[in-house]
């Protein structure tokens, strides 16, 4: 008998509970808020911000400020050194390492025991519940799950405390029963050298009955390419004939979809998007015909939203769930059972429905490139360019950068179009310095560049004089407050500029 058929009934009670998302979303969030207030009341942060006399949302919003990582960094660092009851009750042992801020190479997001089970693992279970509901013919549990993970390392000198990729923390703490259906083996999954890990994963899994794969599209594609190289097969279904679904998240899937469809040509292959970040698990694609995701409202996460047209102003409007409208771009603010209080995560979303609450991810609150999980922000770019100029004697007048998405060999890079006021001593020297400095100041970029496996050395193209001004002029945007978009996940701007340059060559 199919194991999936035996397991399926275990998810039915949860599916029934999830129906409350359709008509009782606000009530679910109110319940979460009360639970978070009760838990945080006696912490150092809770005492400081009067959580003991906070009873409703209005008091909560009045007593606790909206925070960036910088505002919470000092408390998080104390927690990392072993202090208890700072932002969350007890000792928090695990910290998810994420891309940095203006002042730091990395952020360290606390992952409490409560958050681990009430947010991250709950999200994973609900992902499976929705998938089984939508695919009654599934044989998901009749084979193995290929789950990509990162790596972790000791956190200072605190016993049993770890810092690393969220995926590594989840694998480290996963129920041992799950290891019976998961591949590769734990030691391989937690390797830090991705080039070695990629090869070992391919060798360990290519002869297994893999029915589902989970991970970031860019990393997973690289692994799948290696599986095909070692197996000598052309398509993945020749290696894993029972593969039925890819659970993906972390970065946008759209640029990769065509490449996956070239690797996996079997009819009926499924793709399901998840919104799981270091800070929490927020959304699931509950309907395969709808590209928007359901906002998960009964985890340990309370949501607030700032309209992007007010973001960065002195007193922006901040609304809870009942205040959101469809087709408005919002910056997301979260309070979680990991000790993040009214924390601006940096992501922007737009609601496509409020009954139930469904949304799409629209980007980040700042210019960025996150095509492969590298989260390159404007501050990284400016510091990298300043260093390259210093080392090569160059002066930059204008620039823009965008990704070149992976080709059939899973190769990709960042492409920089730069107009120099003073040319560097060597364009290659300039690009080497820029690439090296970006790795030094951004840990996620450094990880993706490791061994040239996922992200190749960046490319610098020299723009002719006045190219950017001519481009802006053609758009009627020359002068005034109009600016050249510096970083973008889209190639629209850089392709227009390159076409303009080629046209006049």
């Amino acid at each position: 008998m199919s194991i999936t058929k035996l397991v399926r009934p275990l998810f039915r009670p949860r599916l029934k509970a999830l129906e409350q998302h359709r008509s009782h979303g606000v009530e679910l969030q109110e319940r979460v808020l009360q639970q978070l207030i009760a838990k945080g009341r006696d912490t150092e942060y809770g005492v400081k911000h009067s959580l003991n006399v906070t009873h409703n949302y209005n008091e909560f919003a009045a007593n606790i400020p909206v925070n960036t990582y910088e505002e919470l960094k000092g408390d998080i660092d104390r927690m990392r050194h072993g202090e208890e009851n700072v932002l969350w009750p007890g000792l928090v042992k695990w910290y998810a390492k994420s891309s940095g801020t203006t002042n730091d190479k990395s952020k360290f997001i606390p992952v409490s025991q409560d958050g681990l089970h009430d947010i991250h693992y709950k999200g994973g279970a609900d992902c499976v519940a929705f998938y089984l509901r939508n695919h009654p013919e599934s044989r998901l549990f009749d084979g193995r799950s290929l789950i990509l993970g990162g790596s972790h390392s000791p956190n200072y000198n605190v016993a049993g405390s770890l810092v690393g990729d969220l995926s590594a923390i989840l694998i480290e703490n996963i129920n041992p029963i799950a290891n019976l259906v998961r591949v590769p083996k734990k030691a391989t999954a937690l390797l830090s050298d991705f080039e070695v890990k990629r090869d070992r994963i391919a060798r360990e899994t290519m002869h297994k009955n893999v029915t589902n794969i989970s991970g970031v599209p860019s990393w997973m594609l690289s692994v799948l390419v290696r599986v095909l190289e070692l197996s000598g097969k052309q398509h993945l279904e020749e290696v894993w004939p029972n593969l039925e679904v890819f659970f993906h998240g972390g970065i946008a899937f759209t640029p990769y979809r065509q490449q996956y469809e070239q690797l996996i040509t079997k009819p009926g292959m499924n793709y399901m998007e998840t919104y799981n970040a270091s800070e929490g698990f927020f959304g699931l694609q509950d309907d395969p015909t709808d590209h928007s995701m359901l906002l998960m409202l009964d985890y340990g996460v309370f949501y607030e939203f700032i309209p992007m047209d007010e973001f960065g102003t002195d007193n922006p409007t901040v609304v809870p769930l009942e205040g959101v409208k469809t087709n408005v771009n919002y910056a997301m603010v979260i309070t979680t059972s990991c000790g993040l209080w009214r924390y601006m995560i940096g992501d922007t979303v737009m609601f496509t429905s409020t009954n139930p609450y469904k949304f799409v991810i629209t980007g980040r609150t700042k210019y960025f490139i996150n095509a492969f999980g590298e989260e390159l922000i404007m501050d990284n770019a400016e510091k990298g360019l300043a260093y390259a100029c210093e080392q090569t004697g160059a002066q930059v007048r204008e620039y823009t950068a965008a990704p070149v998405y992976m080709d059939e060999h899973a190769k990709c890079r960042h492409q920089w179009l730069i107009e120099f006021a003073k040319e560097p001593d060597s364009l290659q020297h300039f690009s080497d310095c820029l690439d090296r400095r970006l790795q030094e100041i951004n840990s996620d970029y450094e990880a993706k560049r490791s061994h040239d496996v996922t992200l190749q050395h960046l490319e610098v193209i020299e723009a002719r004089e006045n190219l950017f001004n001519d481009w802006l002029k053609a758009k009627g945007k020359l002068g005034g407050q109009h600016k050249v978009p510096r970083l973008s996940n889209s190639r629209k701007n850089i392709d227009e500029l390159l076409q303009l340059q080629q046209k006049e060559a």
Side-chain angles (χ1 to χ4, degrees), residues 395-440:
Q395 294 178 3
V396 172
R397 179 178 290 131
E398 293 282 6
Y399 75 93
T400 192
V404 175
Y405 287 105
M406 288 185 177
D407 59 20
E408 65 274 15
H409 303 294
K411 304 298 183 184
C412 57
R413 64 188 182 278
H414 286 181
Q415 190 175 63
W416 295 68
L417 181 62
I418 302 177
E419 183 179 334
F420 292 99
K422 181 182 177 183
E423 294 185 356
D425 55 14
S426 159
L427 200 61
Q428 185 61 54
H429 185 202
F430 183 95
S431 64
D432 288 342
C433 291
L434 176 57
D435 189 75
R436 182 170 65 250
R437 185 59 176 153
L438 292 178
Q439 293 185 60
E440 291 172 352

Side-chain angles (χ1 to χ4, degrees), residues 331-484:
M332 196 159 73
V333 178
I334 58 172
T335 297
T336 78
S337 56
C338 291
L340 298 177
W341 296 95
R342 301 195 84 198
Y343 177 78
M344 289 193 293
I345 188 175
D347 288 343
T348 60
V349 299
M350 182 178 292
F351 284 90
T352 59
S353 165
T354 55
N355 185 27
Y357 288 94
K358 301 188 76 169
F359 68 97
V360 293
I361 301 170
T362 52
R364 297 283 290 176
T365 54
K366 299 178 181 178
Y367 286 134
F368 71 104
I369 300 178
N370 189 32
F372 316 105
E374 68 277 42
E375 294 202 19
L376 191 75
I377 62 174
M378 272 290 296
D379 186 73
N380 300 155
E382 297 291 348
K383 287 177 178 175
L385 287 170
Y387 175 79
C389 286
E390 178 184 340
Q391 297 298 309
T392 65
Q395 294 178 3
V396 172
R397 179 178 290 131
E398 293 282 6
Y399 75 93
T400 192
V404 175
Y405 287 105
M406 288 185 177
D407 59 20
E408 65 274 15
H409 303 294
K411 304 298 183 184
C412 57
R413 64 188 182 278
H414 286 181
Q415 190 175 63
W416 295 68
L417 181 62
I418 302 177
E419 183 179 334
F420 292 99
K422 181 182 177 183
E423 294 185 356
D425 55 14
S426 159
L427 200 61
Q428 185 61 54
H429 185 202
F430 183 95
S431 64
D432 288 342
C433 291
L434 176 57
D435 189 75
R436 182 170 65 250
R437 185 59 176 153
L438 292 178
Q439 293 185 60
E440 291 172 352
I441 59 181
N442 182 316
S443 58
D444 282 341
Y445 183 86
E446 180 182 44
K448 304 307 178 284
R449 284 283 294 112
S450 179
H451 300 292
D452 291 347
V453 174
T454 296
L455 190 62
Q456 312 301 298
H457 193 292
L458 61 82
E459 174 189 13
V460 175
I461 299 174
E462 185 174 355
R464 65 159 175 80
E465 188 175 0
N466 292 322
L467 176 66
F468 289 89
N469 281 349
D470 291 345
W471 178 70
L472 288 172
K473 184 177 180 180
K475 291 180 167 292
K477 295 183 177 182
L478 189 61
Q481 297 300 309
H482 299 295
K483 299 177 182 178
V484 174

Side-chain angles (χ1 to χ4, degrees), residues 147-151 165 167-168 171 184 188-191 194 197 201 214-215:
I147 303 174
L148 286 192
S151 62
D165 294 330
S167 56
I171 289 173
T188 299
L190 296 177
L191 283 170
F194 183 70
K197 177 190 290 191
I201 290 174
S214 304

Side-chain angles (χ1 to χ4, degrees), residues 26 293-295 297 321-322 324 351 353-358:
V26 172
M293 286 183 278
L294 182 71
L295 189 67
L297 303 175
L321 191 66
E322 62 260 42
V324 302
F351 284 90
S353 165
T354 55
N355 185 27
Y357 288 94
K358 301 188 76 169

